[in-house]
Amino acid sequence: RNPLLVVLLLLALFSRLAVAVLAPGFPVDVGSFSALANRMAEVGPGRFYAAGYFSDYPPGYMLILWPLGWLGRLLGTGATETMVKLPGILCDLGVIWLLYRVAERKASRKAALWLAALYACNPLTYLAGAAWGQADSVPSLLLLCSVLLIIDGRWKYALPIYMLAVLMKPQALMAGPLGLAALVMDVAWRRKD
């Protein structure tokens, strides 16, 4: 609907892809994600968590890495190392779009575009996802979706999305106490009515 949002999303995408290709990434994260992606492509999810193989990531993110490992094997040496940065980049775009949509409903299109642009141009999002190859944007997008659903009182959707965020990265558990407090307050307010 808003051509400026489309331009912003395209700029955010191509600038992040350029950073992803030019920056080698944080060796521990890129190396670990590449190895996990390649193992998923090699053995599949049924045999991934086998005795003798160490993985400190929950299964949700492995399902995202699986097609990247498979595609990386088809494309050849070094492809997986760059592609493991894609989930974070794509989730950054999801956050940009979602921030715009929510702000557009609550404020003006101009304010929504500014908010989306602030996130899109935030250097930390470039550094963490596109440059280093970390996956923090994946649970961040899911947590944002969960919070927005909670605000609308749609708990039956918010809770599964929150659990999906935890299955992507266990650090999402840190938001759990806030979610529990919101649930308790919601139940208490409904009983008053």
Side-chain angles (χ1 to χ4, degrees):
R1 294 179 186 181
N2 188 340
L4 291 176
L5 177 63
V6 174
V7 170
L8 177 64
L9 287 168
L10 288 173
L11 287 173
L13 173 63
F14 290 119
S15 60
R16 281 168 171 76
L17 289 174
V19 169
V21 170
L22 295 173
F26 190 64
V28 173
D29 289 331
V30 171
S32 175
F33 289 151
S34 297
L36 295 172
N38 290 332
R39 175 156 171 87
M40 279 294 287
E42 182 182 324
V43 301
R47 295 186 299 149
F48 179 79
Y49 291 102
Y53 186 81
F54 175 74
S55 175
D56 60 350
Y57 258 77
Y61 201 64
M62 295 307 101
L63 295 176
I64 290 176
L65 291 178
W66 186 13
L68 298 178
W70 181 79
L71 190 56
R73 291 174 78 184
L74 287 177
L75 295 175
T77 309
T80 305
E81 286 77 12
T82 301
M83 287 191 307
V84 295
K85 296 179 179 184
L86 286 177
I89 291 170
L90 295 176
C91 286
D92 272 346
L93 298 179
V95 171
I96 294 165
W97 180 82
L98 199 53
L99 286 173
Y100 176 84
R101 296 294 298 161
V102 170
E104 183 185 39
R105 283 190 338 206
K106 304 290 183 186
S108 67
R109 291 176 91 187
K110 184 177 178 182
L113 193 61
W114 275 107
L115 178 64
L118 282 173
Y119 183 88
C121 297
N122 184 338
L124 292 178
T125 62
Y126 282 89
L127 185 62
W132 285 355
Q134 295 182 351
D136 298 307
S137 293
V138 177
S140 295
L141 175 60
L142 293 168
L143 288 172
L144 179 58
C145 290
S146 188
V147 166
L148 294 172
L149 289 166
I150 287 169
I151 289 170
D152 289 342
R154 299 168 69 185
W155 288 95
K156 68 180 179 179
Y157 301 111
L159 293 176
I161 291 174
Y162 170 71
M163 290 312 303
L164 186 58
V166 171
L167 288 172
M168 293 295 164
K169 197 162 183 181
Q171 286 84 342
L173 285 168
M174 290 188 287
L178 292 173
L180 180 60
L183 179 60
V184 168
M185 289 170 46
D186 189 46
V187 168
W189 283 333
R190 286 175 194 250
R191 285 189 179 172
K192 283 183 183 179
D193 296 338

